[in-house]
Amino acid sequence: MAIQTIPTKPFAGQRPGTSGLRKKVSVFTQAHYLENFVQALLDVLNASGADAQALTGQTLVLGGDGRFYNRAAVQIILKLASANGVARVLLGRGGILSTPAVSAVIRRRQAFGGIVLSASHNPGGPAGDFGIKYNAGNGGPANEALTEAVYARTQVLRELRISDAPDIDIDRQGLQQFEQMQVDVIDPVADYAAVMRELFDFDLLRTMFQRGFTVRVDAMNAVGGPYARAILEGELGAPAGTVVNAEPLEDFGGLHPDPNPVNAEDLIAHMQQLDAPDFGAAMDGDADRNMVVGRNFVVTPSDSLALMTAHARLIPGYKDGLTGVARSMPTSAAVDRVAKALNLPCFETPTGWKFFGNLLDAGRVSLCGEESYGTGSSHVREKDGLWAILFWLSLQGATDRSVEALVREHWRVYGRNYYSRHDYEGIAVDVANVLMRDLRAALPFLPGRQFGVRQLVLADDFAYTDPVDGSVSGQQGIRLIFDDGARVIFRLSGTGTEGATLRLYLERFEADVALQDEPVQKVLAELATLADQVAGIRARTGMEGPTVAT
């Protein structure tokens, strides 16, 4: 065995997006493509490091969601890590670690950082997507300064340092030697489960199942399955079969592992039956997203965050109250109303979990969430699907109320924010960029205009100044805000791998309880028409409507 220096050439387009570098599997499997990105990352970490400490001699966490190419990528990364001075790698058995579990392991084991192999909710399989991102020592996604430094390094990289050692057995738990580096293959669930025990009353949850409370959790053939089985069925005593589609598959069994009513249609169908379970939920590819469903009742992510905030003191891990809450800008303002009533600070950030990290580290927020089915808290530095499921189970146990009863009571007290996201997928990149460019150019001329019964009071391109470190992030989405509080938001998604995805967010507040049970798309149809009037979506894209509306 020896460390080899191999010549290479840069690849264009290796700039990490909102959640790391995501491309088609066919792109990642090109010779040296993954190697180049990882070598660039290791070079940057060794050159600067967290807190001016270099990576050499440190411990990294490694694991992924089990999608196609996960196992092969693990072996490549181990060979690169061993050749670049890493002393120890904590590897999830079988190459498996959910994204929130990576964060938990980094924090509990005080590792230098971690590498997550996932394209989250994107499709898997040989023709699907693959992804990689770096999480720092706080357990959260790397900041923009680091990801930009990695990208810059990828563009000048000329050589790889890699071991020629044979592959190791990643399914055998325990210590193994790899060159001068130790590889500790760990139980992927253990550290994460320990964190959950610290937050929730497991005795209460066991009692719920003993009394016949029924649950259906759809893991969508993704990485959340082993975690949900181990905790819900193993520790809490839920009946076998409570967790369905629980075996992680390289192609997710053909499912699109994005937990929304469109993709989790099997769960929705079960929750609409006369003998539906008391509670339903789904997770995504890397188990950091969640969808909460009651009997014939779907909870929006924005309402979920707001309701969690309102009832957090019922959960043991938050019984002393919250320091504050945060939401991404496109997420509805439902949580803002709760925060105001509870006299809590409420922060509005760009999309991307990394923007919550500074607020969490500084102790300025305890809960945070975004509209794309992600909620989380200070227990890790990622959104966390199973944590959210345990939170909602605990709320039902503590209040003896159903999902629907909890949400309707919340609307009665705080009002309802009718809210929807319309995704226009597969748009030609140049068409999407011109649409956004023209919208930005029109912004100075929009405030004061009348649109039906509404007057536009604010039109801007959202920019965020981090209150902790002062960093500024611009062009984070175009906001149109009206005199009645209604909002229309436009932004391009940073998680796709083909073409561009335009995301349109629509929101309208309703305080009158008698008007809180209308069909969402009907209520928001006027705003959708207004958005098309302003941006010319149909004329520019040739699409009569969104690909997906959630």
Side-chain angles (χ1 to χ4, degrees):
M1 297 187 298
I3 305 302
Q4 299 182 322
T5 300
I6 299 174
T8 191
K9 295 180 180 179
F11 289 89
Q14 287 196 317
R15 174 178 272 124
T18 306
S19 300
L21 181 67
R22 293 184 188 174
K23 302 287 182 182
K24 287 294 181 184
V25 168
S26 57
V27 174
F28 265 103
T29 51
Q30 296 175 89
H32 292 182
Y33 189 90
L34 174 64
E35 290 89 333
N36 274 25
F37 185 80
V38 175
Q39 183 67 65
L41 170 64
L42 297 173
D43 286 348
V44 169
L45 293 177
N46 266 321
S48 56
D51 300 323
Q53 183 182 37
L55 171 64
T56 301
Q58 301 292 331
T59 297
L60 283 181
V61 178
L62 175 61
D65 61 17
R67 68 177 58 230
F68 186 85
Y69 196 53
N70 191 96
R71 292 176 69 90
V74 163
Q75 300 287 356
I76 291 169
I77 293 168
L78 290 175
K79 293 173 184 180
L80 287 160
S82 69
N84 283 272
V86 176
R88 189 177 185 220
V89 170
L90 300 172
L91 173 66
R93 187 178 61 242
I96 292 291
L97 277 174
S98 74
T99 294
V102 170
S103 186
V105 174
I106 291 172
R107 293 172 65 80
R108 287 180 66 83
R109 308 283 188 108
Q110 298 183 316
F112 183 88
I115 294 176
V116 186
L117 302 174
S118 175
S120 187
H121 56 292
N122 293 15
D129 298 342
F130 191 77
I132 180 171
K133 71 172 181 175
Y134 177 72
N135 280 26
N138 71 341
N143 60 33
E144 288 183 314
L146 191 145
T147 57
E148 280 300 301
V150 172
Y151 170 66
R153 180 63 182 157
T154 67
Q155 299 308 289
V156 298
L157 194 69
R158 290 293 183 271
E159 64 181 31
L160 304 170
R161 292 184 300 281
I162 191 166
S163 169
D164 65 356
D167 291 354
I168 68 167
D169 183 358
I170 64 175
D171 297 306
R172 177 166 62 87
Q173 198 164 313
L175 285 173
Q176 300 180 53
Q177 197 69 28
F178 198 105
E179 297 281 7
Q180 301 303 308
M181 182 178 76
Q182 278 193 335
V183 179
D184 190 355
V185 179
I186 63 172
D187 179 341
V189 179
D191 289 86
Y192 178 84
V195 175
M196 296 302 103
R197 292 187 208 104
E198 295 168 358
L199 297 174
F200 300 105
D201 183 348
F202 273 27
D203 288 336
L204 169 67
L205 297 175
R206 288 189 192 98
T207 299
M208 290 174 65
F209 289 118
Q210 289 167 2
R211 292 176 176 173
F213 191 88
T214 54
V215 172
R216 185 180 181 89
V217 172
D218 193 338
M220 305 188 82
N221 296 317
V223 77
Y227 293 83
R229 266 185 176 166
I231 294 175
L232 294 175
E233 298 181 10
E235 289 205 43
L236 301 179
T242 292
V243 185
V244 301
N245 296 321
E247 190 67 31
L249 301 176
E250 290 191 335
D251 64 351
F252 304 119
L255 297 179
H256 186 165
D258 190 356
N260 60 52
V262 175
N263 294 321
E265 58 183 349
D266 179 71
L267 175 67
I268 297 298
H270 276 84
M271 296 305 295
Q272 290 175 340
Q273 294 174 4
L274 293 177
D275 59 346
D278 296 303
F279 176 70
M283 291 180 285
D284 73 330
D286 62 338
D288 65 350
R289 300 182 186 217
N290 75 91
M291 178 177 67
V292 169
V293 188
R295 287 178 171 167
N296 204 27
F297 193 91
V298 179
V299 182
T300 70
S302 300
D303 280 345
S304 181
L305 175 63
L307 198 138
M308 286 177 166
T309 301
H311 295 288
R313 286 182 179 271
L314 297 176
I315 308 299
Y318 311 95
K319 66 180 187 303
D320 294 329
L322 307 176
T323 58
V325 293
R327 63 166 175 86
S328 66
M329 181 273 289
T331 302
S332 97
V335 72
D336 302 41
R337 300 179 185 281
V338 179
K340 183 178 181 180
L342 299 180
N343 197 29
L344 288 173
C346 183
F347 297 87
E348 183 180 37
T349 75
T351 296
W353 212 258
K354 58 191 172 187
F355 292 104
F356 295 136
N358 277 359
L359 297 170
L360 290 164
D361 287 346
R364 299 181 73 164
V365 302
S366 305
L367 296 184
C368 43
E370 56 189 20
E371 53 73 33
S372 55
Y373 292 87
T375 41
S377 86
S378 52
H379 70 288
V380 289
R381 294 297 181 268
E382 292 278 6
K383 48 187 175 283
D384 190 346
L386 185 52
W387 165 87
I389 291 169
L390 293 170
F391 201 117
W392 270 90
L393 280 171
S394 299
L395 289 185
Q396 291 168 88
T399 63
D400 197 28
R401 290 184 178 181
S402 69
V403 169
E404 181 175 357
L406 284 166
V407 174
R408 290 196 180 280
E409 174 63 13
H410 183 88
W411 291 344
R412 187 189 67 77
V413 174
Y414 296 101
R416 179 179 184 182
N417 286 68
Y418 280 102
Y419 180 82
S420 182
R421 186 182 90 190
H422 293 188
D423 287 359
Y424 294 81
E425 298 175 347
I427 302 172
V429 173
D430 58 343
V431 171
N433 288 337
V434 169
L435 185 152
M436 294 297 286
R437 183 200 67 192
D438 290 350
L439 263 177
R440 290 189 177 98
L443 290 177
F445 310 103
L446 292 175
R449 283 185 57 182
Q450 197 75 25
F451 294 88
V453 298
R454 294 185 178 85
Q455 185 179 64
L456 187 62
V457 295
L458 174 67
D460 70 357
D461 195 351
F462 181 64
Y464 176 68
T465 301
D466 191 299
V468 178
D469 64 16
S471 61
V472 178
S473 300
Q475 294 195 345
Q476 295 297 316
I478 291 171
R479 302 187 297 178
L480 306 182
I481 301 178
F482 297 86
D483 53 1
D484 63 349
R487 297 195 311 159
V488 175
I489 311 293
F490 304 85
R491 61 178 290 271
L492 297 182
S493 170
T495 61
T497 61
E498 284 188 307
T501 296
L502 172 68
R503 287 188 169 159
L504 172 66
Y505 308 85
L506 308 170
E507 177 178 6
R508 204 201 87 184
F509 178 70
E510 182 55 69
D512 188 344
V513 176
L515 299 176
Q516 290 178 352
D517 202 25
E518 298 298 314
V520 173
Q521 301 305 332
K522 176 183 176 183
V523 170
L524 298 175
E526 182 184 356
L527 288 176
T529 300
L530 185 158
D532 186 59
Q533 177 185 346
V534 172
I537 299 172
R538 286 188 297 174
R540 292 172 183 268
T541 67
M543 302 172 70
E544 287 301 313
T547 312
V548 179
T550 55

